[in-house]
Amino acid sequence: QLQLVESGGGLVQPGESLRLSCTVSGFTLEYYSIGWFRQAPGKEREEVSCISSSATNTNYADSVKGRFTVSRDNAKNTVYLQMNSLKPEDPAVYYCGIDMTLPLIFRQCVLSIGRFSSWGEGTQVTVSS
């Protein structure tokens, strides 16, 4: 059955980098946009980034533009989030999800949390001195 597993989180100092991975089993990502989201304690889950099925289009929240980069490898059923220049505002549990809203959008991704489902368990990112 469908399963998403986020990994790569950890404890880093401000300005350092992490790369998160979202690996999927029981499902082929080829035709679906994938999104990254995060949720800090006491806050609602918020959009971070998304990538279209063809990887020709990506979108980012204003808070991470220029620092985060999303990519994918459909052959490995994996999506990545490269997180550079991490800031104290970035700590959260990071989740990936699949945009299964119909009709499918192939040439772009829509960074709207309501479109995404099939969440993983998340991976914790902590930024501290």
Side-chain angles (χ1 to χ4, degrees), residues 7-37:
S7 62
L11 173 64
V12 298
Q13 296 182 345
E16 297 298 321
S17 299
L18 285 172
R19 189 177 77 159
L20 307 183
S21 297
C22 173
T23 58
V24 180
S25 60
F27 191 84
T28 300
L29 297 180
E30 182 178 2
Y31 298 111
Y32 296 88
S33 295
I34 309 298
W36 283 98
F37 309 85

Side-chain angles (χ1 to χ4, degrees), residues 29-34 51-58 71-74 105-109:
L29 297 180
E30 182 178 2
Y31 298 111
Y32 296 88
S33 295
I34 309 298
I51 184 167
S52 65
S53 62
S54 64
T56 57
N57 177 249
T58 58
S71 62
R72 66 190 296 161
D73 186 340
N74 286 342
I105 302 173
F106 298 105
R107 294 183 290 108
Q108 66 182 55
C109 65

Side-chain angles (χ1 to χ4, degrees), residues 38 51 53 74 83 87 96 99 102 123:
R38 65 187 183 186
I51 184 167
S53 62
N74 286 342
M83 309 165 65
K87 299 179 178 180
C96 60
D99 184 353
L102 298 178
T123 185

